[in-house]
Amino acid sequence: MQQLFAIFAARRHGMAAVLGTTLLLGVLVVWLMPERYKATAQVLIELKSPSVVSSSVVVANQTVPSYIATQMDVINSTRVALRVVDQLRLAEQPAWKARWQDEADGLGELRSFIAHKLQDAVDARPSRDSNVVSIVARAHSPELSAAIANGFARAYVETNLDLRVDPARRYSDWLEERSAGLRTRLEEAQARLSAYQRKHGIVNADDRMDIENARLQELSAQLTAVQAQQAESASRNARRGDGDALPEAIQSPLVQNLRLELARKQGLLDDLRERYGARHPEVRSAESEVASLRRQLDGEVRRVASGLGSSDQTNAQRVAAAQSALDAQKARVLALMASRDEMQVLLRDVQAAQRALDTVATAQSQSELEGSAQATNVSVLAPAEVPIEPSAPRPALWLAIAFALGVALAIAWALYRESRQRPVHSVRDVYEHLGLPVLGQVMVGPALAAPTPTRPRLGRGARRSLFNTSP
């Protein structure tokens, strides 16, 4: 450090010249640099997307950084810049036309040229741990910088709304075309169902099916009852040979009276036989009465038995009729079931077409509402104000930079000069660089010191220069 300080002290005049020159250049740059103004507009980005038909859609926490980064890209996009150009009518200003001619030779489109220049002059900066985005615009005019910042804020809000509304409108148009086809499909399905119902005379298949099923169950029950009666009559008919044992004959009042009368006459005949013998006229008369009663009884029993045969035939006919009616009803039910199944297929086609049309209609209604929405999740929090003082150049900063650069250049100049021509600055230099022992050191005051036009220097002839120096 002593050696460095010695070098700096020896070359202080040159270093001061380098530092002064650098500071002078810094002042010149600050004086020649045009003034630039910076205006800042703040935009608030909500993490909820408003919906006119449902609850707000909340952006997931893990997608917040990417969502904010996407919004930064939207702000810096050409679409937003072109909207700013149109809002501020920059393409109509002669200054921009002249700049376009000078820098691009009139090539390309003027609006795109201005939009690219605005993109270079605008910077979107998201706040840390916040949903506020700062839109910083720089320009040579304070009014223009504020106008550009506010223009980008408004254009970003409008573009964000368009990015939500335009897809909804296109989707609504597509849904309208789709709903027309589905409506035609529904009408065709309903026409097929109506034609089938008219052809088969079906108003309500379920109600008619219930009626026919009830009729089928009723006929089945009647057939069962008739079959039971037939079985019973057949059993009685099988016992018709033993007429006295038939329940109908036993239960018949006439048969019972005839049997009672026959028993009474038979008892009277037996008494007369015991009393008068078998050839007595009274006995003959009693036997004739008994025979007549027996013939009457047998005739009544035969009549009852013959009635059982006709009843059996009647029951058989009833069974056949009931069976025929049951078979016809079964065929009717099966035909109705087949018709109902075919109608159910047609009905399902109608229902499917109706559900599809309802779904598309609901989505179309929602898309139309979203397409006509005027709300977005972005709003201007603080518009840019016209700056009072320029943001660049900053004299203090530039002078500080020039001073630091000047110090660095001065040190570099001193070290460079020291490496090209090394003088002797101290006794230590004599010992280290010349390799000569130092016998003593004479301190000369300012008044007694003899002026020396040149200082002793190392290198070629360094030793001779050292000893030719005045004490």
Side-chain angles (χ1 to χ4, degrees), residues 288-309:
S288 178
E289 292 179 1
V290 169
S292 178
L293 288 173
R294 191 176 299 279
R295 285 192 301 270
Q296 291 180 8
L297 178 60
D298 292 339
E300 186 64 25
V301 170
R302 284 193 302 270
R303 188 185 65 79
V304 172
S306 64
L308 289 177

Side-chain angles (χ1 to χ4, degrees), residues 200 214 232 260 282 290 348 358 380 394 428 431 442:
H200 295 83
E232 184 179 358
L260 291 175
E282 293 184 4
V290 169
R348 282 194 294 269
D358 292 341
V380 178
R394 297 164 63 180
R428 190 172 184 178
Y431 177 76
V442 177

Side-chain angles (χ1 to χ4, degrees), residues 10 12 81 88 98 134 140 142 147 155 185 214 216 241 258 291 315 335 350 385 394 414 426 463:
R12 59 184 178 274
L88 300 180
S134 298
H140 298 293
R185 175 184 171 187
L216 180 63
L258 290 174
N315 289 334
V350 173
E385 297 181 355
R394 297 164 63 180
S426 63
R463 184 175 301 180

Side-chain angles (χ1 to χ4, degrees), residues 11 18 44 58 62 88 113 139 145-146 155-156 173 175 189 208 256 299 332 360-361 401 412 460 470:
R11 301 186 182 278
V18 172
L44 176 63
V58 182
Q62 57 268 22
L88 300 180
F113 172 79
S145 64
Y156 167 59
D173 295 338
L175 288 175
R208 183 175 176 183
Q256 291 177 2
R332 189 179 298 107
V360 171
I401 294 174
R460 180 180 298 177
S470 299

